[in-house]
């Protein structure tokens, strides 16, 4: 280092996944040199994963989109003209203005992806624009089923208390792999650390994960049948009177109804459905009931099936029965450090809200949801058919729709039908190649953001600060405000710092002050329901084993089982041709959704997409470890490389999701080769309340494939 160079250290929060691990960013003469964990962060306490240092490569990557671009040739031809932001805003204002005038704002759909820095600003922008139709591939099938179920059952979202002096005695890990996925970043480190302590693990997963290896009990469930297992655990706990009778009596509502309801759902009944031996289900129920404090780590696998709400409801009833709620080391409610986010929901008139696609049928998704959203299949159908009204424009801010929505071929056909497609992204993805306008997005080191973690519990507020500028990249939030100004929307025009400052009033700091400190923390207090007999924020004031909210919406108030729509039991005729059960998308440490495939540091140790097979299944099809394998469903056919493991059932196949190959020439960049969503289905049936479609329990067949060219 020359004598003139100066190094400064800045606090920020890593956003290479949707977590927010506190980090220290070392800068020398305006360049990022090093990213290390912030030991002061109450969340990750100095730990980071391999993705955080790879951010430096992301910031400087030669393939980054750096300027707005407008399509020059035919759609998907890969021909682009560089334009200025001014011109981009002119195009947007003109095209959107014309659609609003002719068809109404509801004919503009807004898309985004999961939990990134701007995720709350996207529905806010949709509201500002006047459209009820915003969507993201992870909303009905990721986290929001859990959030909504929690609000309806407990009045708030419980999180696992890893933050105080008491460790959980038992962790019930359900359809979740936090030791890899985070997913709020720091959970990765907490879950791994607990395996070294006395905490016992029960893991419900079709694959033997790192935590399953360490577990007291591993329930190797057939994909998509978690509801049956959870109901049987309720049956066992209630039938053997293992529940906390005092807690149930004082703090829950509907125990007698639940008791009568779960009587038929014996562990033997669940065994015949889920392939999990009845004795193991009993043992898991008994261990969970005997442990206090205990927690549930539930993940998105329970939400990748069309019974997402009732599956989450059945699981949520378990800790309610054992009374491990809001106690040290238990399932606790957060401290909600920030003031409310200004979503601008009231900007939409009731008749406009009523036009939200799919909201008549999926009333939890489209109406009472904590952030009401449109039904994805209905949005794509409106693009294709113009029914019930046309979607003329789709504006996407951070989503690669061909990679992450179900049934990529249908998605492609739907996108081809919209008159105007605009995509804002860090890179020219295969989906962005189909757009008319592409906008360059700033990465997490290039923007200011305020986020509170864990999501919806908000014990810790984190500031990200803009440290570098790449090309003409902008952060999405700024684009929303500038576009709102350009279009004279009269809503959503404020600068983002004023929004951050308003949310931080409760903390007593400005955003600038938070930026200096990196974070603000509000510790969790316990047994809040006992304080002044406050109870729970539900209609009955108690934990609702019987959900009055669901009943009011016209859905089952008690948890139910529903066989996956394409399974050996529900479609035996299809199973004759497609005899294996397919699941998809278990998270990979190196990547985030369809991201990071271009970062050499992360790609090096996971170069190709892998399909997991049992060695005996592989022998049947003459497949060896490392061979390319065709995986085929009734929707499509892809190739991934065989990874043989006896940690998966002989009847089950797991494919990775999110795969495309940024290094390939041509605009398609290999999106049609190994992409799991060529196999999945967007069709009905959906979760009756949330509209969830099926990503993880389908029927497939396999065969040996030649290596792709
Ligand atoms: N590194 C990294 N971290 C991530 C992400 C990423 O892409 N990469 N993605 C983020 C996102 S969007 C999310 S939603 C979270 C997801 O993170 P998690 O909620 O942990 O979910 P997954 O890892 O997708 O899957 C968890 C487990 O579900 C199992 N599984 C598959 N089918 C079933 C089933 O039918 N039932 C049960 N019980 N289990 C099943 C898989 O074997 C897997 O081990 O991670 C987030 N964090
Ligand atoms: N088969 C199958 N499909 C799945 C899943 C599965 O397990 N199996 N998981 C589902 C789940 S849980 C989820 S949450 C979704 C995930 O779906 P998404 O979160 O939508 O993920 P991506 O499609 O990878 O889109 C993210 C895009 O945003 C870009 N990006 C990153 N940061 C920014 C930013 O700050 N601004 C902008 N404008 N762009 C940015 C990235 O480069 C990337 O192209 O996928 C779902 N799809
Ligand atoms: S877990 Fe997520 S937030 Fe934490 S360091 Fe890794 S990528 Fe960053
Ligand atoms: Mo997700």
């Amino acid at each position: 280092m020359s004598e003139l160079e100066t190094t400064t250290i800045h606090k920020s929060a890593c956003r290479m996944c949707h977590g927010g691990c506190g980090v220290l960013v070392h800068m020398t003469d305006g360049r990022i040199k090093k990213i290390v964990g912030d030991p002061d962060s109450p969340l990750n306490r100095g730990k980071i994963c391999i993705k955080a240092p790879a951010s430096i490569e992301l910031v400087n990557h030669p393939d980054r989109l750096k300027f707005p671009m407008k399509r020059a040739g035919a759609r998907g031809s890969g021909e682009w003209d560089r334009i200025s932001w001014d011109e981009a805003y002119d195009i947007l204002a003109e095209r959107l203005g014309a659609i609003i005038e002719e068809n109404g704002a509801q004919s503009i759909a807004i898309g985004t992806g999961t939990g990134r820095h701007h995720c709350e600003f996207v529905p806010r922008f949709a509201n500002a624009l006047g459209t009820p139709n915003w969507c993201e591939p992870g909303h009905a099938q990721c986290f929001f089923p859990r959030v909504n179920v929690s609000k309806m059952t407990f009045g708030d979202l419980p999180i696992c208390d890893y933050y105080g002096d008491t460790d959980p005695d038992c962790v019930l890990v359900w359809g979740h792999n936090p030791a890899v996925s985070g997913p709020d970043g720091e959970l990765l480190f907490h879950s791994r650390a607990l395996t070294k302590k006395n905490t016992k693990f029960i893991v419900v997963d079709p694959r033997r994960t790192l935590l399953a290896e360490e577990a007291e009990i591993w329930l190797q469930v057939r994909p998509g049948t978690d509801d049956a297992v959870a109901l049987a655990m309720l049956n066992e706990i209630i039938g053997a009177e293992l529940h906390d009778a005092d807690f149930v009596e004082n703090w829950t509502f509907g125990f007698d109804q639940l008791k009568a309801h779960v009587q038929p759902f014996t562990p033997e009944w669940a065994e015949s459905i889920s392939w999990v031996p009845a004795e193991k289900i009993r043992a898991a129920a008994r261990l969970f009931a005997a442990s206090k404090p205990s927690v549930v780590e539930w993940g998105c696998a329970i939400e990748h099936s069309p019974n997402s709400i009732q599956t989450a409801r059945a699981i949520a009833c378990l800790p309610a029965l054992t009374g491990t709620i809001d106690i040290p080391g238990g399932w606790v409610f957060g401290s909600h450090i920030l003031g409310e986010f200004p979503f601008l929901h009231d900007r939409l008139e009731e008749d406009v809200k009523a036009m939200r696609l799919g909201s008549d049928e999926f009333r939890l998704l489209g109406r009472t949801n904590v952030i009401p959203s449109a039904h994805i299949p209905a949005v794509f159908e409106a693009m294709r058919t113009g029914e019930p009204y046309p979607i003329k424009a789709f504006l996407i801010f951070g989503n690669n729709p061909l990679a992450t929505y179900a049934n990529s071929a249908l998605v492609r056909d739907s996108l081809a039908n919209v008159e105007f497609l605009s995509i804002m992204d860090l890179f020219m993805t295969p989906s962005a190649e189909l757009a008319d306008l592409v906008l360059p997005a700033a990465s997490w080191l290039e923007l200011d953001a305020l986020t509170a973690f864990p999501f919806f519990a908000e014990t810790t507020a984190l500031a990200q600060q803009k440290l570098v500028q790449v090309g003409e990249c902008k952060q999405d939030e700024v684009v929303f405000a500038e576009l709102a100004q350009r279009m004279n929307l009269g809503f959503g025009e404020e600068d983002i710092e004023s929004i951050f400052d308003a949310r931080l009033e409760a903390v007593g700091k400005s955003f600038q002050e938070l930026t200096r400190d990196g974070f603000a923390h509000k510790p969790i207090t316990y047994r809040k329901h006992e304080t002044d007999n406050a109870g729970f924020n539900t209609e009955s004031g108690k934990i609702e084993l019987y959900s009055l909210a669901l009943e009011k919406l016209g859905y089952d108030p008690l948890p139910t089982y529903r066989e996956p729509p394409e399974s050996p039991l529900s479609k035996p005729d299809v199973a004759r041709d497609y005899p294996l059960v397919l699941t998809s998308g278990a998270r990979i440490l190196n990547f985030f959704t369809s991201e990071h495939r271009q970062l050499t540091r992360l790609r090096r140790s996971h170069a190709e997409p892998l399909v997991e097979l049992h060695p005996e299944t592989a022998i049947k099809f003459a497949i060896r470890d490392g061979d390319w394998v065709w995986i085929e469903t009734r929707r499509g056919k892809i190739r991934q490389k065989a990874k043989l493991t006896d940690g998966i059932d002989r009847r089950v196949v797991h494919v990775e999701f999110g795969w495309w190959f940024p290094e390939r020439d041509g605009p398609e960049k290999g999106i049609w080769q190994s992409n799991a969503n060529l196999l999945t289905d967007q069709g009905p049936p959906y979760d009756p309340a949330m509209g969830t479609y099926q990503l993880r329990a389908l029927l497939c067949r396999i065969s040996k494939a030649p290596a792709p060219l």
Side-chain angles (χ1 to χ4, degrees):
M1 197 193 289
S2 90
E3 274 172 34
L4 293 174
E5 285 181 341
T6 48
T7 296
T8 48
I9 299 176
H10 308 264
K11 284 192 179 248
S12 193
C14 171
R15 302 304 303 272
M16 286 290 273
C17 74
H18 49 37
C21 293
V23 287
L24 302 173
V25 183
H26 293 240
M27 309 260 311
T28 304
D29 284 350
R31 289 186 72 82
I32 301 164
K33 289 289 174 195
K34 192 164 80 172
I35 298 173
V36 296
D38 179 359
D40 294 337
S41 167
L43 296 170
N44 56 309
R45 298 178 196 143
K47 295 208 164 75
I48 49 170
C49 83
I50 49 168
K51 292 188 285 308
S55 315
I56 303 174
E57 190 188 345
L58 182 132
V59 167
N60 300 311
H61 201 286
D63 293 351
R64 279 286 299 278
L65 288 168
K66 296 196 180 73
F67 313 100
M69 297 206 285
K70 106 178 154 186
R71 179 165 65 82
R75 265 199 191 164
S77 64
E79 290 161 52
W80 296 93
D81 282 339
R82 176 179 166 182
I83 56 172
S84 66
W85 273 102
D86 221 31
E87 209 178 332
Y89 286 141
D90 278 347
I91 294 172
L92 282 160
E94 195 225 314
R95 298 295 296 260
L96 302 181
I99 294 170
I100 293 172
E101 184 84 17
E102 248 175 68
N103 304 86
Q106 75 282 353
S107 284
I108 304 168
I110 310 291
T112 186
T114 188
R116 294 173 177 87
H117 61 94
H118 61 298
C119 63
E120 292 162 314
F121 282 83
V122 174
R124 173 184 155 89
F125 174 66
N127 287 335
L129 200 58
T131 175
N133 292 319
W134 80 276
C135 61
E136 63 122 328
H139 198 85
Q141 27 276 315
C142 174
F143 190 50
F144 283 85
R146 273 169 282 165
V147 172
N148 282 299
V149 159
S150 297
K151 293 255 174 190
M152 293 186 297
T153 308
F154 303 102
D156 197 359
L157 175 76
I159 56 166
C160 303
D161 183 20
Y162 304 133
Y163 308 96
D165 300 328
T166 312
D167 287 331
D169 187 26
C170 176
V171 184
L172 173 57
V173 184
W174 208 310
H176 193 23
N177 191 13
V180 170
S181 65
D184 283 352
E186 33 105 19
L187 284 186
L188 201 151
F189 315 114
H190 291 301
S191 57
R192 288 182 185 216
L194 277 182
T195 64
K196 308 272 180 294
K197 297 188 172 180
N198 292 328
T199 301
K200 300 180 258 319
F201 280 81
I202 303 168
V203 174
V204 189
D205 198 303
R207 294 163 56 244
R208 194 175 59 229
T209 59
L210 194 144
L211 294 180
E213 300 240 8
E214 303 283 336
E216 220 75 3
I217 301 174
W218 169 36
L219 306 183
Q220 193 177 16
V221 65
R222 169 164 68 91
T225 63
D226 300 276
D227 42 8
V229 176
L231 285 166
M233 285 177 69
L234 291 170
N235 168 292
E236 176 67 11
I237 289 175
I238 296 176
E241 297 189 2
L242 304 173
H243 56 279
D244 180 333
D246 280 347
F247 185 85
V248 166
E249 167 73 22
N250 291 326
W251 299 111
T252 69
F253 172 83
F255 177 72
D256 291 340
Q257 288 101 316
L258 182 70
K259 181 176 175 181
H261 174 75
V262 297
Q263 225 155 23
F265 306 127
T266 61
E268 283 71 21
W269 164 83
E271 174 175 341
S272 68
I273 291 166
S274 66
W275 302 343
V276 183
E279 272 323 301
K280 276 202 164 179
I281 298 176
R282 284 210 166 84
R286 285 170 181 269
L287 176 60
F288 186 74
S291 313
K292 215 178 214 175
S294 58
V295 295
V296 180
E297 274 291 2
W298 47 1
C300 71
I302 61 168
E303 297 160 324
H304 286 179
S305 92
N307 202 27
S308 63
I309 292 300
Q310 298 299 348
T311 306
R313 279 271 301 145
I315 296 171
C317 288
L318 291 165
L321 288 179
T322 68
T324 184
I325 303 293
D326 223 23
I327 58 175
W331 231 24
V332 298
F333 304 110
S335 43
H336 304 290
I337 188 168
L338 291 182
E340 282 198 5
F341 181 80
F343 280 107
L344 303 176
H345 290 315
D346 293 341
R347 143 89 168 110
L348 298 186
E349 303 287 342
E350 287 309 312
D351 58 336
V352 175
K353 285 184 188 163
M355 292 179 86
R356 182 172 286 127
L357 289 166
S359 65
D360 276 351
E361 191 172 353
F362 310 109
R363 297 177 291 284
L364 180 57
L365 173 76
R367 291 189 190 160
T368 60
N369 197 341
V370 292
I371 313 175
S373 140
H375 189 227
I376 292 160
V379 172
F380 286 126
E381 194 180 326
M383 287 177 193
R384 290 191 308 279
T385 66
E387 296 296 334
Y389 53 81
I391 292 294
K392 296 269 179 188
F394 195 19
L395 314 183
I396 295 176
F397 300 90
N399 162 239
N400 183 358
L402 293 177
T404 47
Y405 284 109
N407 198 342
S408 313
L410 191 79
V411 173
R412 177 198 52 204
D413 295 347
S414 311
L415 296 182
N417 258 342
V418 285
E419 281 175 16
F420 180 65
L421 178 64
S422 151
I423 297 194
M424 179 151 170
D425 205 299
L426 300 163
F427 291 96
M428 185 62 93
T429 64
S431 306
E433 291 278 11
L434 301 178
D436 302 295
L437 182 69
V438 168
L439 304 173
S443 82
W444 69 271
L445 287 152
E446 304 155 40
L447 52 85
D448 291 328
L450 170 69
T451 320
F453 286 94
F455 283 129
F456 279 92
E458 303 197 343
T459 62
T460 309
L462 300 166
Q464 286 165 261
Q465 50 177 312
K466 177 169 174 168
L467 297 170
V468 282
Q469 171 74 43
V470 172
E472 292 179 8
C473 295
K474 287 185 190 255
Q475 76 178 96
D476 302 75
E477 299 89 325
V478 168
V479 173
F480 297 144
E482 290 179 349
L483 185 55
Q485 289 159 15
R486 179 67 66 106
M487 294 180 71
N488 291 319
L489 293 180
F491 293 91
E493 296 180 10
E494 306 90 312
D495 70 281
I496 56 174
E497 193 165 331
S498 68
I499 294 176
F500 298 158
D501 283 339
R503 295 195 77 195
L504 279 165
E505 261 168 35
V507 183
K509 277 186 189 180
S510 68
F511 180 67
Q512 286 306 326
E513 286 162 335
L514 190 73
T515 302
R516 190 195 55 217
D517 301 345
F519 62 85
H521 182 64
K522 185 175 175 192
I524 288 169
T525 55
Y526 299 105
R527 296 191 174 86
K528 297 178 270 293
H529 53 283
E530 286 179 7
T531 314
D532 303 327
N533 223 14
F536 294 85
N537 189 20
T538 57
E539 190 175 326
S540 63
K542 297 191 170 184
I543 297 173
E544 297 200 349
L545 303 172
Y546 183 99
S547 171
L548 294 172
L550 277 174
E551 183 174 57
K552 205 182 257 174
L553 281 172
Y555 304 116
D556 287 326
L558 291 163
T560 54
Y561 152 74
R562 220 169 155 218
E563 179 61 25
E566 189 181 271
S567 82
L569 296 195
S570 63
K571 293 270 184 333
D573 48 331
V574 178
R576 271 195 294 277
D577 287 337
Y578 299 89
L580 297 165
V581 177
L582 174 75
T583 183
S584 74
R587 272 34 184 179
I588 307 166
L589 188 64
N590 302 33
F591 307 125
F592 186 60
T593 63
S594 78
E595 289 194 57
H596 307 333
R597 303 303 192 280
Q598 54 282 90
L599 304 184
T600 42
R601 213 174 149 157
L602 299 178
R603 186 74 181 279
R604 203 179 295 138
S605 55
H606 199 118
E608 312 270 20
L610 302 176
V611 50
E612 278 184 28
L613 304 171
H614 193 279
E616 287 177 21
T617 311
I619 285 177
K620 258 172 109 175
F621 295 93
I623 292 165
R624 283 166 311 176
D625 198 62
D627 280 349
W628 283 91
V629 179
W630 287 120
I631 308 103
E632 187 177 359
T633 67
R634 291 191 291 169
R635 273 77 48 194
K637 190 172 171 180
I638 64 168
R639 260 182 284 201
Q640 299 199 352
K641 244 183 176 176
K643 177 181 169 193
L644 305 190
T645 165
D646 64 2
I648 194 163
D649 191 283
R650 287 164 187 75
R651 295 159 286 185
V652 178
V653 170
H654 172 266
V655 292
E656 293 178 352
F657 94 121
W659 275 95
W660 59 290
F661 302 87
E663 67 279 10
R664 298 247 178 108
D665 291 337
E668 290 186 346
K669 301 179 174 74
I671 189 73
W672 305 107
Q673 181 193 295
S674 300
N675 167 7
N677 282 317
L678 288 176
L679 306 176
T680 54
D681 195 2
Q682 236 189 65
Y686 309 112
D687 181 89
M690 198 68 184
T692 313
Y693 53 54
Q694 182 74 63
L695 291 170
R696 293 216 179 180
L698 299 153
L699 291 170
C700 74
R701 62 184 173 215
I702 57 168
S703 56
K704 196 172 155 163
L709 295 176

